[in-house]
Amino acid sequence: MSQADALLEVLIVAIAGSLAAAVLAAAAAMTLRLRHLFHEHRERQLKSVWIPRLLSLVVDDNAIRCDAEVGVFSREIRVLSQTRQRALLELIVRFAFVVRGTARTRLCRLAEPALPAARALLGRRDPAMRALGVHIVGRLGLDRNEKSVLRALDDDAPLVRKTAARALARAGRTDYVEPILETAANLEDWDTSEVVSVLQDIGPAAQPILRRAFSDPERRPAARAICAEALRWLNDLTAAEPATEILLRENDRELLAASLRLLRRVGGAEHAPAVRRLCTSHDPVIRLNAVATLAATSGLPESPDADLIGVALADPSSWVAIRAARGLREIGCSTHLRRVLTVGHPRASLVRDVWPELGTSTTREAA
């Protein structure tokens, strides 16, 4: 066989192989598409059958009739495949998020026969599937699956741990505050606002536990800062005293900043001395929050604190200066701001942005 014939044979084999690969890829794509269409059809079919039934359970006030329907529906659910049970659970849990009381109790009873399909997800390798299992079980069957949801707080995947924390918080039980705090403190990628939102779901009953954790010097500063933010949004007035103690004794930036923000919401003039000393901190984040808190706690334009806030107008950090200008406007103290405008201060444009009306009046007086 000549070299040209051998080369031609190799080329033919390569082309044939490419065609075979293309056919296989097309067949795989077609199979996936058909499977997707099949699942869509089954989901539409499931919704068309079950949505009216679920709505009837939610809106019907006849308890006897609803109890009988739940019994009938539960028997139907038991004979469904695990895949269809899981799809139905995803539908039921959507309803469970928007109803309360008796209606939600009915939905939980209805879901009970299918919950093993959700529990099976907890052992899956895919974190998204485990999180889905925790989400369903935590919303529709937490009482009987509490240990599984608590174990999910130690899952390797942050998504699963966050989902478990949310599921526990929605139960409104104070004994879940500590496990949620521990998980939140160990998750670096969990934004504080998210954690606070979760803790707020527990409600005012969580305040005493959050205060104790906030005041505990043995806890990590990150966990205490989270407690401070949660107490701020829960408007816990009694948290002002421990916040003041923290300002006097601690030096962690996030904890101090969170404590200052807490005092800004719930503090008063009696807490101002602890705030004043931080207005000259070497850390601009602390200075900014201290100036804002001092403005909120002093509250009077003739207060001596107005002079301290006025000094912050010349702070090296423009963010601190902005906060000082806003603070002076909040307490209605225009003296320092007018002085900045009349002497050609480098912060004059900043003051005009914060209090435009003052800049206009000053210009008229000068004219």
Side-chain angles (χ1 to χ4, degrees):
M1 180 184 294
S2 66
Q3 186 177 2
D5 290 338
L7 184 60
L8 180 61
E9 186 176 336
V10 171
L11 185 59
I12 291 172
V13 171
I15 292 173
S18 298
L19 286 172
V23 170
L24 288 174
M30 183 62 71
T31 301
L32 289 173
R33 176 61 178 164
L34 290 173
R35 183 181 296 174
H36 178 69
L37 291 173
F38 177 69
H39 285 312
E40 275 192 342
H41 173 70
R42 291 185 68 178
E43 186 176 353
R44 284 197 300 270
Q45 193 177 39
L46 186 75
K47 288 181 177 179
S48 66
V49 172
W50 281 99
I51 285 180
R53 291 179 165 188
L54 294 175
L55 284 172
S56 71
L57 290 178
V58 168
V59 301
D60 197 338
D61 293 330
N62 190 315
I64 297 176
R65 183 167 56 242
C66 286
D67 288 343
E69 288 179 349
V70 168
V72 173
F73 297 163
S74 296
R75 287 192 290 274
E76 292 182 32
I77 291 172
R78 284 189 177 91
V79 300
L80 295 176
S81 67
Q82 192 174 76
T83 302
R84 288 180 70 80
Q85 284 182 344
R86 194 181 75 200
L88 181 57
L89 285 172
E90 291 183 47
L91 189 60
I92 294 173
V93 80
R94 294 178 199 169
F95 279 78
F97 266 99
V98 294
V99 298
R100 296 177 181 273
T102 304
R104 199 170 83 80
T105 301
R106 291 172 188 162
L107 292 175
C108 291
R109 284 178 50 211
L110 179 64
E112 191 174 335
L115 283 179
R119 284 195 294 268
L121 296 176
L122 301 178
R124 297 282 286 271
R125 295 181 62 182
D126 184 357
M129 299 306 290
R130 295 201 302 277
L132 176 61
V134 170
H135 173 65
I136 293 172
V137 168
R139 191 60 177 171
L140 298 176
L142 181 61
D143 291 343
R144 296 190 178 185
N145 300 277
E146 180 185 49
K147 291 182 180 179
S148 297
V149 179
L150 285 170
R151 278 197 299 270
L153 290 175
D154 297 321
D155 195 278
D156 293 335
L159 173 64
V160 179
R161 294 159 76 175
K162 292 178 184 180
T163 304
R166 291 189 181 98
L168 293 169
R170 290 189 188 103
R173 286 172 47 181
T174 57
D175 53 324
Y176 293 147
V177 174
E178 287 287 358
I180 292 172
L181 275 177
E182 187 64 26
T183 296
N186 289 327
L187 281 175
E188 294 181 359
D189 65 334
W190 201 359
D191 186 77
T192 301
S193 61
E194 289 184 82
V195 186
V196 171
S197 175
V198 168
L199 291 169
Q200 279 182 282
D201 285 340
I202 299 176
Q207 289 178 354
I209 300 172
L210 290 170
R211 271 199 309 275
R212 284 197 298 271
F214 175 50
S215 306
D216 186 358
E218 299 301 319
R219 287 184 182 266
R220 282 181 290 178
R224 298 173 73 187
I226 289 170
C227 293
E229 293 292 352
L231 291 167
R232 175 165 73 103
W233 288 106
L234 289 169
N235 292 312
D236 184 16
L237 298 178
T238 55
E241 294 307 320
T244 304
E245 290 297 316
I246 285 172
L247 296 188
L248 296 172
R249 297 180 181 181
E250 302 290 344
N251 54 24
D252 180 82
R253 171 200 251 194
E254 294 304 321
L255 178 56
L256 287 174
S259 300
L260 285 165
R261 287 191 291 269
L262 172 59
L263 278 176
R264 186 182 176 194
R265 176 71 64 88
V266 302
E270 67 274 21
H271 306 115
V275 178
R276 290 187 197 109
R277 59 188 292 273
L278 294 177
C279 289
T280 55
S281 167
H282 68 279
D283 189 329
V285 172
I286 302 301
R287 293 201 303 274
L288 184 151
N289 282 283
V291 167
T293 302
L294 192 61
T297 53
S298 63
L300 297 173
E302 64 274 11
S303 167
D305 291 330
D307 294 333
L308 187 55
I309 299 171
V311 171
L313 288 170
D315 194 278
S317 168
S318 59
W319 295 109
V320 177
I322 290 171
R323 188 58 262 184
R326 288 178 177 170
L328 289 170
R329 177 171 184 170
E330 287 168 7
I331 63 177
C333 180
S334 61
T335 305
H336 295 281
L337 298 176
R338 288 179 184 278
R339 189 178 302 132
V340 167
L341 292 174
T342 54
V343 299
H345 197 282
R347 301 292 193 196
S349 61
L350 180 151
V351 170
R352 292 190 189 96
D353 289 339
V354 171
W355 202 340
E357 301 89 341
L358 184 64
T360 302
S361 64
T362 303
T363 303
R364 287 174 182 170
E365 290 173 7

